Amino acid sequence: MMTGKQYKASLKDGRRVYYDGQLIEDCATHPSLASAADTVESTYDHYYKPGADALSDYMSVPRSVEALRTHMVKHSDMLTEITFASTMTLLTAGDRIAKIRPQGRENIQAFVRHVQKNDLRMTECITDAKGDRSKPPAKQDDRDAYLRVIERRSDGVVVRGAKLHISLAPLGHELMTIPTKAMKPDEQEYAIAFSVPVNTPGVKIINVGKPPLSKDTRDFPVTSQMFISQGFVIYDDVFVPNERIFLDGEAEQAAVFAHSLGLWTRALGLARMADEADMMAGLAQLVAEANCLEKVSHIKDKIADMVIHATLIRATLEASFANSKLSPDGVPVPDELYTNAGKYLGASNYVLIVRNLMDIAGGSGLTVPSMLDLENPDTGNLLRKYMATKSSVDGEYRMRLLQTVRDLTATSNGGYRVNANLLGGGGLFAQRVVTRGRYDMERAKRLALKVAGLEKPASA
Ligand SMILES: Cc1cc2nc3c(=O)[nH]c(=O)nc-3n(C[C@H](O)[C@H](O)[C@H](O)COP(=O)(O)OP(=O)(O)OC[C@H]3O[C@@H](n4cnc5c(N)ncnc54)[C@H](O)[C@@H]3O)c2cc1C
């Protein structure tokens, strides 16, 4: 296993990562990546065990529902969670493609062992550039709009394309790359799933995202703990050796990977959403108390809405564990209906929760002065005086709460969160499709027929 320090050193492997037009020399210390790299480093140190055969507890595959539950609610850093989701995606997909492509499953299993043994981190590269959204891959003006195989060799394939919005791509070791959707029989060149190291020749990553302007963590209590950036990953004719290919040409199986990834990413997203929703309800209550308005009915109503939202998100998360099913390999897989319905609920209501928090906090939830202004002898005591609400609520305490509201809702991080909740793990439409598909509509229709006093539905 690697220590945190070894992890950071491992990123200096010649990878081509760019930011604002410049090649990044060291991803571990670059301002757009450093806080995320620090959190990954601490996870490495937390789980580190000496010895050549030691395996990270976090990276182990859960074998019971209880282990799955513990795993999903035990948050680690975002990259480590993405690696876990990628591992589970591959194992789930491997089971499903085994009949059609047994070699793919074997390659997946060998690759997962390699990742576990070497304590590596991987990122999920699925979203293509997509070009004209109304046309399928094979009908695009530029056929590279979806990543595809452009050359076949006896020892592997050469791929070309781009995967966009890849969370923390510059900080992982491996780019787990899979088709973004189902492919048609004439789209075999797009039915390609594989993994390559980030420093593979031809891979270029443009890192995107603006870190907070101030380094004062009190002004950015949320973002400073971890700022997440996304990589625009370009595969500029990249060679993939045979042993790293999981799927190649089996168009009818292309959607299996996206489907598995959607489930695991949304399940982990739901676990994060559940904690975030509780935290935001708690923050709203603390701000209301600091503003001395916690007994006012419209404030209580808004907090009650936030509490109900948080409770329903957690209920769907628990239902996804309780209804999980064992894969052929004995791995519990969260229930798709509850996972997707929960993720949809969390994503679609997030802006309403933000609205309530902003409303309760008032304008200072945006315009609260910085902590350096508080420390300035010219202004500090005046800020303390005017930001206090009563003798037991001092100005600094209230300012710290309001900084948290601002960082969560009104900074560039606030905008990031709205977008990430909505689109991370696929947009609302994707969750609607899966929820509708997994819902027992026949049972629902039977119930309705019974109430209507009818025996069976009219034939369509
Ligand atoms: C913060 C963040 C993190 C992310 N992390 C990752 C990651 O780690 N890995 C990864 O692979 N992806 C990641 N994504 C990408 C995410 O999964 C996509 O943004 C999402 O699936 C939507 O795809 P898109 O952005 O290409 O939007 P588009 O596909 O352009 O969609 C825009 C809108 O058009 C609609 N639309 C598109 N095509 C059609 C059509 N043919 N018919 C009808 N409606 C259509 C969509 O439903 C949506 O409403 C991330 C995104 C964000 C914002």
Side-chain angles (χ1 to χ4, degrees), residues 48-120:
Y48 178 74
K49 284 184 259 171
D53 295 330
L55 286 183
S56 166
D57 286 341
Y58 192 85
M59 286 302 150
S60 63
V61 174
R63 295 282 164 193
S64 67
V65 175
E66 207 31 57
L68 172 74
R69 196 182 171 287
T70 313
H71 221 94
M72 303 279 282
V73 297
K74 174 176 68 180
H75 296 312
S76 78
D77 68 87
M78 176 79 100
L79 181 62
T80 305
E81 284 182 16
I82 289 172
T83 304
F84 174 69
S86 305
T87 304
M88 301 309 287
T89 296
L90 286 177
L91 293 175
T92 308
D95 280 344
R96 294 181 187 169
I97 61 163
K99 273 203 187 110
I100 304 245
R101 192 179 171 94
Q103 187 59 48
R105 187 195 199 200
E106 275 177 36
N107 286 356
I108 284 175
Q109 289 177 339
F111 173 67
V112 166
R113 279 196 298 277
H114 166 77
V115 166
Q116 288 175 327
K117 185 170 182 305
N118 294 289
D119 207 6
L120 302 177

Side-chain angles (χ1 to χ4, degrees), residues 233-252:
V233 182
I234 300 163
Y235 302 71
D236 200 16
D237 299 2
V238 170
F239 175 69
V240 185
N242 283 333
E243 64 274 16
R244 285 303 193 84
I245 297 174
F246 310 139
L247 189 81
D248 180 16
E250 296 86 354
E252 72 281 13

Side-chain angles (χ1 to χ4, degrees), residues 124-128 130 133-134 164-167 230 416 419-420 423-427 429:
E124 303 165 333
C125 306
I126 175 167
T127 309
D128 288 288
K130 295 195 277 201
R133 268 67 178 153
S134 69
L164 275 58
H165 333 287
I166 310 308
S167 296
Q230 269 66 39
Y416 170 90
N419 194 305
L423 289 160
F429 177 64

Side-chain angles (χ1 to χ4, degrees), residues 168-228:
L168 298 175
L171 291 182
H173 302 104
E174 288 280 337
L175 300 165
M176 184 207 61
T177 309
I178 58 178
T180 196
K181 63 183 214 41
M183 296 295 166
K184 301 204 175 75
D186 64 342
E187 294 170 340
Q188 289 179 355
E189 71 207 89
Y190 299 98
I192 176 81
F194 60 90
S195 188
V196 285
V198 175
N199 66 351
T200 303
V203 169
K204 291 178 188 158
I205 303 178
I206 299 164
N207 194 41
V208 182
K210 299 287 174 210
L213 291 173
S214 160
K215 287 202 169 31
D216 192 323
T217 58
R218 296 167 303 176
D219 290 345
F220 293 89
V222 184
T223 324
S224 58
Q225 285 179 44
M226 188 164 47
F227 170 73
I228 306 286

Side-chain angles (χ1 to χ4, degrees), residues 4 64 112 169 278 280 364 369 382 415:
S64 67
V112 166
D278 282 335
M280 287 172 85
S364 294
L382 292 166

